[in-house]
Amino acid sequence: MKESTDGFFNEYGGKYVAEVLRRPLDELQSAFKHYMQDKEFLDELNTIRRDYIGRETPLYFAPTATKLLGGAQIYIKLEGLANTGAHKINNAIGQCLLAKKMGKTRIIAETGAGQHGVATAAACAKLGLECIVYMGEVDVRRQQPNVAAMELYGAKVRAVTSGSRTLKDAVNEAMRDWAANFENTHYVLGSALGPAPFPDIVREFQSVIGYEVKEQCEQRGIKIGAMVACVGGGSNSIGFFSPFIDKKEPRLIGAEAGGIGPNVGENASRMTGNAARDGILQGYKSRFLLDDDGQALPTRSISAGLDYCGIGPQLAALGKSGRVEFCAIKDDEALDAVSFFAKNEGILFALESAHAGAAAMKIAKELPADQAVIINMSGRGDKDVFITSPVFRREEWINFLHAEIERLEENKDIHNAKIMQTK
């Protein structure tokens, strides 16, 4: 079940959109099918992957984590070493290059954690395209480093203040923009969801991750017992799992946001939560957190990238069939994983990826020592400093913020500022 059938993965997927969006979606599907068979396009894409993104990314054996956890060997696919710091650049470059071939001059995107926004802004800067990024106001506040990066790349970041002010609302605003401006605009959807053909497009551009892992493991004689990835919408996980979907092994495990608890509004668990149901939202049918009227319920996660009420339709179908297993990882477990891998392997996971790390820490004990658990580290944790610093070094963070505000208000150069309080 790698490709959709008429836009559907069993009963999930589809193209539930207003008539005004039918034409751009059909145009996109036709162009995607054409260029994915076009040698010149694929050669250009592969050159960009090699020289700009930095592919292939390493598959790292984590010896200390393996020893401390016991059981299976721990390997980490270091997508955080890709240019812009996460897997999102794989899809952003692919779609932006496709859009340019289609004659589009303006790119819009939605973003939650900010990594897709950063990747799209960077891709647009490289390819000479105008870029607008929609981002929930809550996410703008908690992902300021990524907002600053997007603006440095020349993108305009538009804070969305409607609804829950998070990823769902950013998607809504981006869809409205596209409907009004599709003649010269392409919407670079960041996850493997939305109306067809986006789930197929995003999976294909992200599948480079999984095919690299497959080849790296074959070359090194690594026996894969399980592959673990975080799941928000599902772009990193479906790309990571892609070469193995139609096989019986290895185990494919998706780590959802368990948030702070099991109740409505405390998590973003679509496959494991008690509020999940089938529904149609934002142009596609899948599993969503919905109320009795079919309206999106509030979600919660320490990770901005997993804080979404729906899941990609292919992952929903794979979860229902049992091919992909899902588990919910709570905020504190993800934070513990950030600390564990940073201190024991010198690798700083993004909070999204740390959900996969936390799941792997549990699963490793279930497998024998001659097998490997492969974690997709979908991104680096630099972007999360505004979230993790108040947790790991609260007093120092408060002192820094006070001192920096005082310095800026006094218009002093940092070399002339008052000495900051430290422990």
Side-chain angles (χ1 to χ4, degrees):
M1 193 176 57
K2 282 188 185 177
E3 294 183 7
S4 62
T5 303
D6 295 327
F8 282 88
F9 303 93
N10 296 337
E11 70 263 48
Y12 298 117
K15 191 185 298 183
Y16 299 90
V17 295
E19 191 62 33
V20 69
L21 283 175
R22 288 276 174 174
R23 179 181 155 194
L25 285 168
D26 290 345
E27 178 189 20
L28 175 61
Q29 185 164 4
S30 177
F32 177 66
K33 286 184 176 180
H34 169 74
Y35 282 107
M36 291 307 286
Q37 302 297 321
D38 183 86
K39 184 178 184 302
E40 184 178 337
F41 174 83
L42 295 174
D43 286 347
E44 185 174 357
L45 177 60
N46 286 329
T47 298
I48 294 172
R49 283 172 169 171
R50 182 193 67 202
D51 298 341
Y52 180 72
I53 296 177
R55 306 217 67 92
E56 63 183 35
T57 57
L59 180 65
Y60 169 74
F61 173 59
T64 306
T66 298
K67 182 178 179 181
L68 291 173
L69 294 172
Q73 304 161 47
I74 301 295
Y75 284 83
I76 305 171
K77 180 61 169 169
L78 296 176
E79 284 298 292
L81 293 185
N83 189 8
T84 70
H87 75 290
K88 292 292 187 180
I89 191 66
N90 301 319
N91 172 59
I93 278 288
Q95 285 203 51
C96 286
L97 185 61
L98 177 62
K100 191 168 184 178
K101 298 291 185 184
M102 294 169 67
K104 307 298 182 181
T105 58
R106 181 176 180 267
I107 298 294
I108 56 173
E110 90 298 330
T111 196
Q115 284 302 130
H116 174 57
V118 168
T120 304
C124 287
K126 174 174 173 42
L127 297 172
L129 298 164
E130 180 186 356
C131 184
I132 309 292
V133 179
Y134 290 94
M135 190 173 191
E137 189 268 343
V138 168
D139 296 333
V140 168
R141 295 181 67 177
R142 61 181 174 177
Q143 295 289 350
Q144 269 294 308
N146 275 344
V147 175
M150 284 182 258
E151 292 176 343
L152 278 172
Y153 286 125
K156 294 184 177 71
V157 180
R158 293 184 179 171
V160 178
T161 58
S162 59
S164 60
R165 299 171 290 139
T166 55
L167 182 57
K168 168 183 69 69
D169 311 289
V171 172
N172 287 338
E173 288 303 314
M175 294 289 279
R176 290 189 188 101
D177 186 323
W178 195 31
N181 300 289
F182 63 81
E183 292 289 352
N184 70 330
T185 299
H186 173 64
Y187 175 19
V188 178
L189 210 163
S191 201
L193 44 75
F198 280 115
D200 282 327
I201 290 173
V202 176
R203 182 199 61 250
E204 286 307 301
F205 285 137
Q206 293 293 3
S207 67
V208 64
I209 308 169
Y211 284 105
E212 283 183 7
V213 169
K214 185 174 184 289
E215 185 175 349
Q216 288 166 326
C217 287
E218 288 173 353
Q219 288 175 346
R220 293 158 64 176
I222 298 167
K223 183 180 180 182
I224 308 173
M227 301 180 69
V228 191
C230 65
V231 180
S235 62
N236 91 91
S237 55
I238 199 67
F240 185 55
F241 297 156
S242 188
F244 307 94
I245 287 171
D246 294 332
K247 304 179 187 302
K248 293 182 178 180
E249 295 179 339
R251 290 171 65 186
L252 305 177
I253 299 162
E256 296 190 292
I260 59 171
N263 299 319
V264 171
E266 293 182 343
N267 61 73
S269 301
R270 294 70 40 92
M271 301 302 290
T272 57
N274 53 23
R277 63 181 67 187
D278 290 357
I280 297 171
L281 199 69
Q282 296 181 329
Y284 68 108
K285 182 180 180 181
S286 189
R287 295 286 290 173
F288 297 92
L289 298 175
L290 302 173
D291 64 19
D292 292 337
D293 296 322
Q295 299 300 308
L297 289 167
T299 57
R300 178 163 177 168
S301 173
I302 196 168
S303 157
L306 305 185
D307 195 4
Y308 179 62
C309 64
I311 187 171
Q314 187 171 12
L315 284 166
L318 290 167
K320 189 169 184 178
S321 73
R323 180 62 188 102
V324 175
E325 308 167 38
F326 288 91
C327 61
I329 298 297
K330 290 187 176 180
D331 289 351
D332 58 354
E333 294 175 311
L335 286 164
D336 287 345
V338 169
S339 179
F340 176 82
F341 286 103
K343 291 176 179 176
N344 292 302
E345 295 294 347
I347 295 175
L348 186 60
F349 276 66
L351 282 167
E352 291 81 13
S353 313
H355 284 69
M361 290 168 69
K362 300 178 181 181
I363 293 159
K365 301 177 179 65
E366 302 173 7
L367 297 174
D370 66 341
Q371 293 187 15
V373 173
I374 316 288
I375 306 168
N376 193 21
M377 179 211 179
S378 55
R380 295 196 311 263
D382 332 21
K383 69 180 181 61
D384 296 319
V385 63
F386 275 58
I387 304 171
T388 55
S389 286
V391 175
F392 294 133
R393 47 194 302 274
R394 179 178 175 82
E395 184 178 336
E396 294 89 341
W397 184 244
I398 291 172
N399 288 339
F400 163 72
L401 292 177
H402 281 307
E404 192 65 2
I405 290 170
E406 183 180 357
R407 179 184 74 81
L408 292 171
E409 287 178 342
E410 294 177 354
N411 199 28
K412 288 185 176 180
D413 181 88
I414 197 163
H415 298 90
N416 300 322
K418 295 178 184 177
I419 295 175
M420 191 170 64
Q421 293 182 25
T422 58
K423 281 186 179 179

